[in-house]
Amino acid sequence: MPRYAYVNGRYLPHAQAAVHIEDRGYQFADGVYEVVPVFKGALVDEGPHLDRLERSLRELRIDMPVARATLKLISRELMRRNDLTQGMLYLQVTRGVAPRDHKFPAQATPALVMTTRQTKPHSEALLNQGVKVIAVPDIRWERCDIKSISLLPNVLAKQQATEAGAYEAWQIDGEGYVTEGSSTNAWIVSAEGKVVTRDASHAILSGITRLSLLKLIREAGFEVEERAFTLEEAKTAREAFLTSSSSFVLPIVAIDETPVGNGHPGILSGKLRARYLDYMADLGADLGAGTGAGADLEGGTGAGAGIEGAA
Ligand code: PDD
């Protein structure tokens, strides 16, 4: 079946889809993007993703390329054409095409590209094993809250992680605090048993998975601390995990080769992953979905199963 991409008003075979060589995204990384997960045929948290897209565009003074309702229609048509059931929708908006000049062009029409990708869920083996992360200095700019397509530091960090046999690189700010991964948000379960993730600021991308998981944890009656934590605290944490639209919730078992907790995926991390999968399945419930993962945040026993000290 041919795979389609959407480029500025047209659905084109993916292999032939292209943009102009003077697109400002190509020349200046002058644009933004979104990755929306698709689970059981449904877009997950489409509203918050589009809110973030609009915010990123506003911050860079780029107009929405089409109305939000039109964006939704295009997404659905592309998913239908590509028979997308599980994977992701990628949206990119740039300031448009103009002769190369740093300042904003007097007139440019924002360019819109959308693609989809079918992916397989993480293997049971990976989930049972957990993943490793390495620490790298955070060399990014001071507006990491904007989901800009300018991703060179992130690319370099991920490559360094890959070469070290790790899944992700946790970026460390000048004061020794973890900001976030190269394409994921960073979490720990502290020595006191509290779930901790960095507060939303210009220093991190406010992940949509992060927001939904925060809500789910609070709904379950647990306390979460949104605050910065150091690399040292992370290395002595009970558990660590990461979140993103493509990884969902993934347990971390080592940071820079230092085992986290007992070196196995944390019990709470596993429960939060199951809870998040249920949440995604519920969103697609009108399509007859349901994982039956049966996550029960409160039902765990054993070390680290609950969040001790939580309200
Ligand atoms: N990355 N932090 C960074 C720097 C990211 O690039 C991402 C997302 C996240 C997690 O955000 P969300 O939960 O909304 O996916 C955090 C996407 C998946 C990517 O670049 O492919």
Side-chain angles (χ1 to χ4, degrees):
M1 198 189 75
R3 186 173 154 220
Y4 287 92
Y6 174 90
V7 185
N8 295 325
R10 294 194 298 163
Y11 297 93
L12 300 168
H14 193 272
Q16 281 136 45
V19 294
H20 196 283
I21 56 166
E22 285 197 303
D23 186 288
R24 289 179 61 94
Y26 180 61
Q27 290 186 329
F28 294 116
D30 187 1
V32 304
Y33 74 106
E34 273 300 322
V35 175
V36 189
V38 175
F39 194 71
K40 310 241 174 201
L43 288 159
V44 177
D45 284 339
E46 182 186 27
H49 278 282
L50 293 183
D51 290 346
R52 188 172 65 184
L53 177 72
E54 288 179 351
R55 177 182 182 278
S56 295
L57 287 170
R58 232 181 3 253
E59 293 297 314
L60 300 182
R61 292 197 279 149
I62 299 174
D63 291 335
M64 270 284 270
V66 293
R68 186 167 167 133
T70 312
L71 214 51
K72 289 183 168 185
L73 287 176
I74 299 168
S75 311
R76 278 156 186 72
E77 175 59 14
L78 191 64
M79 285 166 60
R80 190 193 65 75
R81 285 183 187 232
N82 290 341
D83 201 16
L84 183 67
T85 51
Q86 163 133 2
M88 59 192 72
L89 172 75
Y90 177 83
L91 297 99
Q92 179 174 303
V93 181
T94 68
R95 202 178 303 276
V97 175
R100 187 177 182 280
D101 186 357
H102 288 67
K103 66 179 180 293
F104 295 175
Q107 273 187 331
T109 309
L112 171 62
V113 168
M114 281 193 219
T115 57
T116 67
R117 190 196 293 176
Q118 184 88 19
T119 56
K120 290 201 181 82
H122 286 310
S123 70
E124 279 304 310
L126 182 79
L127 293 172
N128 292 334
Q129 235 177 355
V131 299
K132 293 180 183 178
V133 300
I134 59 163
V136 301
D138 194 337
I139 59 168
R140 299 174 302 164
W141 71 330
E142 293 182 2
R143 291 305 307 274
C144 296
D145 55 309
I146 299 173
K147 201 160 169 61
S148 148
I149 56 173
S150 174
L151 289 171
L152 257 189
N154 311 57
V155 166
L156 295 175
K158 188 79 96 190
Q159 181 60 23
Q160 199 177 327
T162 305
E163 288 172 9
Y167 183 87
E168 178 59 298
W170 273 10
Q171 300 168 105
I172 313 299
D173 69 17
E175 277 141 33
Y177 291 96
V178 176
T179 52
E180 60 182 334
S182 68
S183 64
T184 58
N185 286 118
W187 302 67
I188 56 170
V189 179
S190 70
E192 295 76 40
K194 296 201 177 153
V195 179
V196 183
T197 192
R198 186 153 178 150
D199 49 304
S201 68
H202 288 181
I204 66 163
L205 182 78
S206 177
I208 303 301
T209 320
R210 174 188 174 281
L211 286 178
S212 289
L213 194 66
L214 282 172
K215 213 183 299 166
L216 293 174
I217 298 172
R218 288 187 175 121
E219 273 169 18
F222 294 118
E223 204 183 305
V224 188
E225 289 181 357
E226 289 185 69
R227 63 161 172 88
F229 56 88
T230 62
L231 180 60
E232 287 320 305
E233 182 177 6
K235 285 183 178 174
T236 54
R238 284 191 195 177
E239 300 187 21
F241 60 94
L242 56 84
T243 58
S244 79
S245 294
S246 47
S247 293
F248 310 146
V249 179
L250 205 52
I252 292 168
V253 293
I255 303 171
D256 280 340
E257 303 299 337
T258 302
V260 177
N262 60 8
H264 295 286
I267 293 171
L268 182 55
S269 309
K271 285 174 184 292
L272 293 180
R273 180 180 172 87
R275 180 70 196 91
Y276 187 73
L277 290 181
D278 272 354
Y279 165 74
M280 289 199 296
D282 288 348
L283 292 177
D286 54 340
L287 298 172
T291 61
D296 175 6
L297 278 181
E298 286 145 275
T301 54
I307 310 177
E308 286 167 28

